[in-house]
Amino acid sequence: MRFLGGSQGMVGLDIGSSAIKLVQVTSKRDGYDLQNLSTVSVPSKAIVDEALMNFSALGEAVGTLVKDKAVKARKAACSISGNAVIAKVVTMPAMGKAEMDEQIQWEAEQHIPFSIQDVNLDYQILARREGEMSILLVAAKKEILADYEKVVAEAGLELSVVDIDALAMFNCFYANHYLANKAEFAHGLVALVNVGASMTNILMVRDGVPTFLRDVPTGGNIVTTEIQKGLQLSFEEAEAVKTGQTPVQAAQQSRLDQVLSSALSGIVGEIQRTADFYLGTAGEETIGRYLVTGGTTRAPGMFDLLREKLGVEVEPLNPFQRVHADNARFSHEVLDGLAAVSSIGLGLALRQSQDAFKK
């Protein structure tokens, strides 16, 4: 199994706490062709507090996606975040690969709060400049990686690559937004945000290069729970209301607006605090724009609230901007409905056609 690497014939599997998303693409000159795109709900209590608990149930769910979509590829890429992984951008003196391979373990011991023997360690050179280089250092506990390997094996696949959510999001951004308009993104600071069900991933990108990342243990489940309590609905009904699938009665709209504003403000506040911390420590002046993805972005008013609180341009991170889809297989309605939850899966699927993280 490779950590952060790339391979051919890759299926992107975004195993989230509420849903599993499968994405598969092939490369073409002006972008990518979409081969497979599907999602299935995570079985009840199969994932608890970001930990995989029921390997058989999760493997069966993944296997259902693979079988239903007649996926022929056998290699899969998954991603992890939160307590499962430590990722830091560090600066080191410029050196060759052989020397770097010798030094990286010592460097990791300075930044990783648990035994090096208990983790899989990897690094990626982000940028070189005047005698120094910026390195992304990543470590994940071996037992966590083994859990994902078991789930994927249950589905009849081989876990070939493990990424982290923030970098899968970056791959999606780089392949769709950055390559489509380098002049727009080659200079300045952009914040990428993925608001998942239980985790929010925040990544700062300066001149097309990741510079800082943070996982915040909050997400859309909090919003769903507040809607559930405020409107006296089941969790499933509240989720449908949050994502706009079920409209509320006119008499409930005012109450829904209040609940959404309150619940979403907590998530937006965490994003704002992370941005303020980064700007303060990095000496940056401002973030030029935010690109935001994740199922919670479908909540009514989410983007308006982000724009109001952050005071800068906020737009969706579009995973399909340079992806060509057969209209007979993937309608506009399907793509629009799944766009908000497909960025991580698309970023993982890109591993089959290129290592989008390398520039």
Side-chain angles (χ1 to χ4, degrees):
M1 184 200 326
R2 299 186 63 193
F3 197 52
L4 298 183
S7 182
Q8 295 296 315
M10 196 71 63
V11 175
L13 283 177
D14 176 13
I15 303 176
S17 59
S18 67
I20 300 170
K21 286 78 70 177
L22 182 150
V23 185
Q24 187 178 20
V25 296
T26 55
S27 60
K28 58 186 300 182
R29 176 171 295 183
D30 61 341
Y32 308 92
D33 277 329
L34 184 62
Q35 301 299 314
N36 282 298
L37 174 67
S38 55
T39 182
V40 65
S41 297
V42 167
S44 176
K45 299 183 180 179
I47 299 179
V48 179
D49 295 333
E50 297 295 310
L52 308 188
M53 303 299 291
N54 190 332
F55 304 138
S56 296
L58 289 168
E60 184 177 348
V62 174
T64 297
L65 292 179
V66 171
K67 182 178 179 180
D68 287 352
K69 298 299 179 180
V71 177
K72 298 192 184 328
R74 294 295 91 188
K75 294 184 178 181
C78 291
S79 60
I80 55 180
S81 64
N83 294 331
V85 63
I86 300 294
K88 291 183 178 292
V89 178
V90 299
T91 300
M92 298 179 62
M95 61 186 73
K97 186 178 187 308
E99 188 179 1
M100 184 68 198
D101 289 340
E102 293 179 1
Q103 291 291 323
I104 197 64
Q105 182 160 325
W106 180 88
E107 187 71 27
E109 289 174 346
Q110 314 309 307
H111 296 279
I112 295 171
F114 31 76
S115 173
I116 295 299
Q117 283 68 41
D118 295 334
V119 303
N120 275 20
L121 181 68
D122 206 349
Y123 70 92
Q124 190 74 265
I125 299 175
L126 301 176
R128 296 179 183 269
R129 59 179 76 83
E130 298 182 357
E132 65 179 27
M133 53 189 183
S134 178
I135 302 292
L136 175 66
L137 183 64
V138 183
K141 291 185 177 180
K142 293 178 180 179
E143 60 181 319
I144 301 295
L145 300 180
D147 289 346
Y148 278 83
E149 198 164 16
K150 290 175 185 175
V151 168
V152 172
E154 285 276 352
L157 301 175
E158 174 192 349
L159 182 56
S160 184
V161 171
V162 178
D163 206 337
I164 60 177
D165 288 352
L167 294 189
M169 175 172 57
F170 173 78
N171 290 343
C172 179
F173 158 76
Y174 190 86
N176 283 283
H177 291 264
Y178 187 88
L179 292 182
N181 197 339
K182 286 186 178 181
E184 183 178 353
F185 291 104
H187 303 287
L189 182 63
V190 178
L192 308 181
V193 180
N194 173 53
V195 186
S198 59
M199 190 74 61
T200 296
N201 316 113
I202 304 169
L203 179 70
M204 302 297 173
V205 180
R206 158 62 71 179
D207 303 337
V209 177
T211 60
F212 173 83
L213 63 160
R214 181 189 178 206
D215 292 335
V216 181
T218 188
N221 283 345
I222 291 176
V223 181
T224 305
T225 299
E226 290 303 309
I227 295 174
Q228 179 185 7
K229 292 189 297 185
L231 274 64
Q232 297 184 342
L233 303 172
S234 69
F235 188 88
E236 292 72 20
E237 290 171 335
E239 182 71 17
V241 168
K242 181 188 75 175
T243 57
Q245 299 176 61
T246 301
V248 299
Q249 298 176 359
Q252 293 179 303
Q253 188 62 56
S254 177
R255 178 58 180 157
L256 174 62
D257 291 343
Q258 293 175 0
V259 170
L260 279 173
S261 178
S262 175
L264 290 172
S265 290
I267 298 173
V268 174
E270 289 292 346
I271 296 171
Q272 190 168 23
R273 280 187 284 275
T274 299
D276 291 343
F277 170 80
Y278 173 74
L279 293 174
T281 56
E284 298 273 7
E285 293 185 0
T286 186
I287 295 170
R289 74 172 68 181
Y290 285 77
L291 294 176
V292 187
T293 188
T296 305
T297 62
R298 295 179 294 187
M302 177 65 168
F303 281 94
D304 290 339
L305 186 62
L306 281 166
R307 295 183 184 104
E308 176 188 342
K309 296 292 186 182
L310 300 174
V312 298
E313 183 178 353
V314 180
E315 61 186 80
L317 174 58
N318 182 5
F320 304 130
Q321 184 162 310
R322 296 179 66 242
V323 174
H324 305 271
D326 182 351
N327 291 334
R329 297 182 59 209
F330 308 102
S331 67
H332 290 299
E333 291 76 15
V334 168
L335 294 180
D336 289 345
L338 292 178
V341 297
S342 297
S343 295
I344 302 298
L346 190 281
L348 294 169
L350 289 174
R351 299 299 192 190
Q352 65 85 36
S353 53
Q354 67 173 29
D355 190 353
F357 183 68
K358 292 181 179 178
K359 298 179 62 180

